[in-house]
Amino acid sequence: MPDMEIRPARPEDIEGILEVLGAALGETLLLRRTPELWAWKHLINPFGPSIVLLAWVGDRIAGVRALMRWDLLTVQGHVVRCVRPVDTATHPDFERRGVFKTLTMEGLAVARETGIDLIFNTPNPRSGAGYLSMGWQEVGAIGVLARPRIGPTVHPDGHIAPSLETVAPGAGSFRPIERHDRPPRGLRTPRTVEYQRWRFDSHPTVPYGSIPDGDGAGVIRVGVRGGRIELVLSDLLGGAGRRAVSRAGAINRGSYLAGFFSKGSPERSAAKKAGMLPVPGLKTLQLVALPLTELDTDPFDLRSWDIATSDLELL
């Protein structure tokens, strides 16, 4: 598009950015595109402010490309500087004009200039083909562990999601776990106290709860999928294990308890011992990656990743 201008986003652009995201992507019961959510993701993220580029056509924002900063640790203890493509959209009035590809290539150039080692994300099927055509490669499909509830369940009313107190009565408010995180078994988000406070305690639109377990805790939230309420096991922190998962299942009033932990992780073992089993054939997300530097691990092998639900959901 010859009259398209690419430039970094400015504070005064946020209202226009949210209008484009809303027009292109919409909202759900759980995902409300507010200025507070934008700031949480892209401004106060402990890994650093996002790379945000806008495509302008005249006085209109035609497209948005946000690369959210994220750090991962390797088994060897090295820090991998990453970005994650999120909140990316082309306004419907400007589709099929190369906006997505132009913004992506500009974003890649900025990422390289600023020392980014790896890009990873979980695109939807529509955008996934576009990423693969620009050099991303598939890492693997993300499955689901679930434990169904037997008995009456809470149902959504179609307008608002039930509160955490309704779906998981007895769950406590989230509090950061001071205990040092276990060593990574693959590429793993460092679960520092600062990270926990940002990730779970300060999320502006989704409340997270806590299930104590010794010095650790399970982290839970409410989800809505296919017209059913789910209790999502977002993470297990500080050595929390089977007791936290069992307790989450016991207090759950949703249709099922759901979550994900990488194969071979102690969290996955604890979840399975507490009755959470893989759902055959159900793959909710496809992880893709693009390394920008040489790494000491293979990012295209799903076994090289040590991730949980909390690493994948960015509501």
Side-chain angles (χ1 to χ4, degrees):
M1 191 185 305
D3 57 348
M4 181 168 58
E5 176 192 1
I6 306 298
R7 67 164 174 80
R10 301 166 182 164
E12 61 267 26
D13 296 325
I14 292 179
E15 182 177 349
I17 290 171
L18 296 180
E19 289 178 1
V20 172
L21 295 177
L25 305 175
E27 294 189 345
T28 68
L29 287 179
L30 294 175
L31 176 54
R32 291 174 281 120
R33 302 184 188 281
T34 65
E36 292 77 16
L37 180 60
W38 178 267
W40 178 82
K41 281 186 180 181
H42 302 299
L43 301 178
I44 65 170
N45 176 357
F47 301 121
S50 299
I51 299 168
V52 183
L53 299 177
L54 304 180
W56 286 84
V57 176
D59 61 354
R60 296 185 62 189
I61 299 176
V64 180
R65 160 61 78 192
L67 299 175
M68 183 181 185
R69 295 186 189 273
W70 203 271
D71 287 355
L72 297 172
L73 294 176
T74 68
V75 174
Q76 294 79 11
H78 301 149
V79 177
V80 180
R81 305 295 183 190
C82 307
V83 289
R84 308 175 61 167
V86 298
D87 292 331
T88 294
T90 300
H91 192 283
D93 292 346
F94 298 95
E95 291 181 339
R96 301 184 183 280
R97 301 192 195 182
V99 176
F100 175 86
K101 184 172 183 178
T102 301
L103 281 171
T104 300
M105 300 312 291
E106 290 285 345
L108 282 175
V110 175
R112 288 190 173 97
E113 291 170 1
T114 54
I116 297 302
D117 302 309
L118 176 68
I119 303 176
F120 72 97
N121 56 310
T122 53
N124 59 43
R126 181 180 178 184
S127 62
Y131 284 110
L132 295 178
S133 71
M134 290 184 284
W136 272 253
Q137 294 186 40
E138 293 182 348
V139 178
I142 304 298
V144 177
L145 296 170
R147 171 177 157 173
R149 169 177 162 75
I150 300 175
T153 59
V154 175
H155 296 283
D157 67 6
H159 299 287
I160 59 173
S163 66
L164 182 62
E165 292 76 14
T166 299
V167 178
S173 300
F174 177 78
R175 293 182 179 179
I177 301 301
E178 301 285 346
R179 180 177 173 181
H180 191 69
D181 190 27
R182 65 166 174 80
R185 300 173 63 90
L187 291 166
R188 180 170 175 82
T189 303
R191 285 155 169 78
T192 63
V193 171
E194 180 188 17
Y195 166 81
Q196 294 176 52
R197 286 179 178 145
W198 168 76
R199 180 66 188 82
F200 304 115
D201 199 31
S202 66
H203 197 291
T205 60
V206 177
Y208 284 84
S210 180
I211 307 291
D213 184 357
D215 294 331
V219 185
I220 57 174
R221 68 164 178 85
V222 174
V224 181
R225 187 186 302 272
R228 295 182 177 181
I229 298 296
E230 59 183 7
L231 185 63
V232 178
L233 180 62
S234 187
D235 216 329
L236 290 170
L237 303 173
R242 179 177 181 175
R243 287 185 298 174
V245 183
S246 297
R247 177 61 178 161
I251 65 175
N252 179 28
R253 297 298 179 266
S255 296
Y256 52 87
L257 178 68
F260 173 83
F261 299 100
S262 289
K263 289 183 178 179
S265 67
E267 294 83 8
R268 186 180 182 93
S269 176
K272 293 178 71 173
K273 288 178 180 178
M276 296 183 71
L277 299 176
V279 180
L282 180 59
K283 307 296 182 183
T284 58
L285 299 169
Q286 179 70 37
L287 182 63
V288 299
L290 175 66
L292 301 183
T293 59
E294 187 171 345
L295 304 175
D296 57 12
T297 188
D298 181 4
F300 302 125
D301 187 342
L302 193 57
R303 294 171 297 182
S304 298
W305 294 75
D306 184 359
I307 52 180
T309 317
S310 63
D311 298 298
L312 302 168
E313 56 176 15
L314 290 172
L315 298 172

